Amino acid sequence: MSAAVVIGASGGIGAALHAALVDEASYAPVHALSRSGEAPIDITDEASVAAAAARIAAGPPPSLVILATGLLHDARHGPEKSYRDFDPAWLETVLRVNAIGPALVAKHLLPLMPKQGRTVFAVLSARIGSISDNRLGGWYGYRMAKAALNQLVRTLSVEERRRNDRAILVGLHPGTVDTALSKPFQANVRPGTLFTPDRAASQLLDVIDGLGVTDSGKLFDFEGKEVAP
């Protein structure tokens, strides 16, 4: 049996993904990594990511890695409604967590994944990172960061194909999930489209199960539909 890794396992979606994978019993072990957990990781700190990778490397190689982290707002900052709201330090923070952190995770965890057979490296992205789908504007930093993340996934998929031609690297759009990230914005969510973390996790794992090698480098929503770049 191969291992699975869930990074961001203390968050709503990450915790539900970890629980679902443990319940499925298709992977052993299922590593649960987060900033506050027993296996700590700070994806913005390369030394922390490298240390986590070393711990994982001591066991079976992971054939599934899911990065379930993200930053949209904090106590002082929210999504920008206008370019007049730009705060360079906040923009840098959003990009660091949503794009640079995943790049560091890929740098240290992709080499641990098998060189043969089906592997999946999945990151939680968002439809809002699609440039062609941007019709409302606003939310500059988050849009920029998720667009960068989607490009990261695409570029990684090209390189990883040379190492393992059955490797699948994808971005996943979970929809609007009832977590702390979406809490300030749930008033505008249409009835029936706010998912519990457990439902979101189930939907995402179903999407992962249905992926093929030709899907690598793309972004898919919770129904398995491709989101245009």
Side-chain angles (χ1 to χ4, degrees):
M1 229 184 234
S2 61
V5 180
V6 178
I7 300 176
S10 63
I13 301 177
L17 284 165
H18 176 255
L21 287 169
V22 170
D23 187 59
E24 284 183 3
S26 298
Y27 300 89
V30 180
H31 298 279
L33 280 62
S34 68
R35 294 188 66 172
S36 58
E38 294 181 4
I41 185 173
D42 178 352
I43 66 169
T44 66
D45 179 350
E46 185 168 9
S48 175
V49 177
R55 294 193 298 271
I56 295 167
S63 60
L64 173 64
V65 174
I66 304 178
L67 182 57
T69 58
L71 176 67
L72 174 59
H73 59 86
D74 66 10
R76 296 181 55 238
H77 302 90
E80 304 89 351
K81 295 181 179 179
S82 166
Y83 60 82
R84 297 174 181 84
D85 300 327
F86 286 164
D87 178 335
W90 175 243
L91 288 172
E92 182 180 344
T93 297
V94 172
L95 285 164
R96 187 166 63 247
V97 173
N98 291 304
I100 298 173
L104 294 176
V105 170
K107 176 181 177 180
H108 290 278
L109 266 66
L110 281 177
L112 305 184
M113 303 184 80
K115 295 181 180 180
Q116 294 181 325
R118 185 180 188 271
T119 63
V120 177
F121 183 95
V123 301
L124 291 196
S125 186
R127 184 184 301 277
I128 202 169
S130 167
I131 294 173
S132 63
D133 193 59
N134 184 358
R135 296 176 179 84
L136 298 177
W139 291 40
Y140 283 87
Y142 197 63
R143 286 187 189 277
M144 292 161 57
K146 291 302 186 180
L149 177 61
N150 295 342
Q151 182 67 278
L152 170 70
V153 169
R154 174 62 178 172
T155 308
L156 288 172
S157 73
V158 174
E159 182 174 359
E160 189 66 3
R161 189 182 304 122
R162 304 183 190 119
R163 193 179 76 98
N164 179 358
D165 61 6
R166 294 193 62 197
I168 301 169
L169 294 90
V170 293
L172 298 174
H173 168 63
T176 305
V177 184
D178 189 10
T179 64
L181 184 142
S182 70
K183 191 70 71 177
F185 315 102
Q186 291 179 6
N188 297 323
V189 178
R190 297 193 313 275
T193 60
L194 179 65
F195 303 134
T196 66
D198 287 346
R199 179 176 173 185
S202 176
Q203 292 174 156
L204 293 174
L205 291 176
D206 284 346
V207 173
I208 288 174
D209 286 345
L211 294 172
V213 293
T214 58
D215 297 319
S216 191
K218 300 176 182 178
L219 171 65
F220 294 91
D221 71 10
F222 53 89
E223 294 182 322
K225 298 177 180 177
E226 183 180 353
V227 178

